Amino acid sequence: MYVVNIDDLNGTERDIVSDNWRSRRMVLAREGVGFSFHETTLFAGTTSTFHYQNHIEAVYCVGGSGTITNEETGEVHELRDGTMYLLDKHDLHTVRTEHEMRMVCVFNPPVTGREVHDENGVYPALNEDGTPVS
């Protein structure tokens, strides 16, 4: 059994902060369960574009409000408490945050926690040892 409290991750290697968001990674590839689980806070008034070419991501909004735009189709969807979106086609997307949003995210394959978004908003697919997934 694995149990963790979100506050225990503050200031650790599992607590990642950027200009637009903060992500605390509760479950990573090292736990060996086939997915990773994160709580991500998107700061109010920010715009972030992501493109997870190597991962499927499900995101559930548990607080705040904003929009998500599918950059390939132009579709815009409202995000608020109780909304879930699934990036099942590796969708290039932009999230615009009106009020700070708290999101619960699941990635498959799991992230290691050492990934960094590249210039296109993409995470590389890495094995736990840091080598690329083949």
Side-chain angles (χ1 to χ4, degrees):
M1 180 182 295
Y2 171 78
V3 177
V4 63
N5 183 282
I6 193 76
D7 293 330
D8 294 338
L9 304 179
N10 295 344
T12 71
E13 64 180 7
R14 290 177 183 244
D15 184 7
I16 311 299
V17 181
S18 81
D19 291 339
N20 292 357
W21 50 265
R22 176 187 190 190
S23 181
R24 291 180 286 179
R25 282 80 186 272
M26 301 181 86
V27 175
L28 290 169
R30 69 186 76 162
E31 275 71 59
V33 295
F35 64 90
S36 57
F37 183 88
H38 315 180
E39 180 203 68
T40 300
T41 300
L42 300 168
F43 305 135
T46 60
T47 299
S48 302
T49 299
F50 304 104
H51 192 194
Y52 297 117
Q53 294 174 336
N54 302 305
H55 299 84
I56 300 296
E57 182 189 25
V59 179
Y60 184 65
C61 180
V62 296
S65 63
T67 61
I68 184 170
T69 302
N70 181 325
E71 294 298 341
E72 295 167 10
T73 67
E75 291 176 281
V76 178
H77 301 275
E78 178 185 355
L79 297 175
R80 59 185 170 81
D81 184 15
T83 304
M84 190 279 305
Y85 62 87
L86 177 65
L87 302 167
D88 59 337
K89 296 176 180 61
H90 307 286
D91 312 271
L92 174 63
H93 62 288
T94 300
V95 178
R96 291 174 179 82
T97 306
E98 182 178 343
H99 298 101
E100 182 173 277
M101 289 194 294
R102 187 169 157 242
M103 315 295 266
V104 177
C105 314
V106 176
F107 281 85
N108 183 15
V111 301
T112 66
R114 294 184 299 276
E115 295 82 357
V116 176
H117 289 103
D118 70 14
E119 66 278 0
N120 298 309
V122 176
Y123 276 153
L126 299 176
N127 292 307
E128 178 54 30
D129 65 5
T131 61
V133 172
S134 51

